[in-house]
Amino acid sequence: KTHMEKVPRVGVAVFLLRGKTVLLGLRRNSIGDSTYALPGGHLEFGESFEECGARELKEETGMDIEKIEFLTVTNKVFKENPKPAHYVTIFLRAALSDPLQDFQNLEPDKCSGLGWYDWDNLPKPLFWPLDEMVQSGFNPFPSQTY
Ligand code: 8DG
Ligand code: MG
Ligand code: MG
């Protein structure tokens, strides 16, 4: 790119649910380095949110997901970056297509480790946008009462 156009980008992040646990990875990235975040990435041209979530899960962990549902959206400016970044991030939830399948860390340059974490005992530090969601009481698990 010859010009650094400052435009908001679209992120897609996935709460991959397994029992009472979610999949988190320790980020290696100028945004949120050394914090625990959801798998996900950038929406590509022409993709649906669900296609993007499934593609990023496959690229980052090797796993196939299903029952992909939209949960919420955030609008965040990342000022901690040397170059400020602005993301509109779509949050999805999903289940494993094959519950016996487990992750591989396929992008070790971007993630120093993946793991399943109990929702009631999440690791620290969480990636700050995720931390804000948790602090506000957000819960990605399907509610039993509606
Ligand atoms: P790509 O090249 O694979 O498309 O991108 P990536 O390297 O996998 O992108 P990413 O940083 O993992 O995700 C894109 C942006 O989405 C991220 O920079 C900021 C935003 N985002 C949030 N919350 C979360 C989250 O919990 N996990 C992830 N992965 N991204 C998030 O706002
Ligand atoms: Mg990615
Ligand atoms: Mg990613």
Side-chain angles (χ1 to χ4, degrees), residues 12 39-42 55-57 59-60 107 110:
V12 174
H42 298 92
R55 176 183 54 73
E56 287 288 344
L57 253 296
E59 289 175 359
E60 297 184 358
E107 295 183 344
K110 289 185 179 180

Side-chain angles (χ1 to χ4, degrees), residues 16-22 116 118-119 141-142:
L16 181 55
L17 309 181
R18 191 183 77 168
K20 293 175 177 177
T21 69
V22 296
W116 297 102
D118 205 311
W119 184 254
F141 289 83

Side-chain angles (χ1 to χ4, degrees), residues 73-145:
V73 60
T74 59
N75 180 31
K76 299 289 178 188
V77 178
F78 295 84
K79 292 172 178 160
E80 78 265 35
N81 203 26
K83 294 170 215 150
H86 181 173
Y87 282 95
V88 171
T89 306
I90 308 301
F91 290 84
L92 307 173
R93 76 168 163 230
L96 288 169
S97 302
D98 171 4
L100 297 180
Q101 193 178 21
D102 212 345
F103 58 76
Q104 301 165 261
N105 186 9
L106 296 180
E107 295 183 344
D109 53 322
K110 289 185 179 180
C111 173
S112 46
L114 288 162
W116 297 102
Y117 293 94
D118 205 311
W119 184 254
D120 298 323
N121 191 18
L122 293 171
K124 290 183 175 102
L126 291 175
F127 188 27
W128 69 262
L130 181 60
D131 196 42
E132 281 187 3
M133 291 170 77
V134 173
Q135 295 300 324
S136 75
F138 180 83
N139 187 316
F141 289 83
S143 63
Q144 304 294 359
T145 54

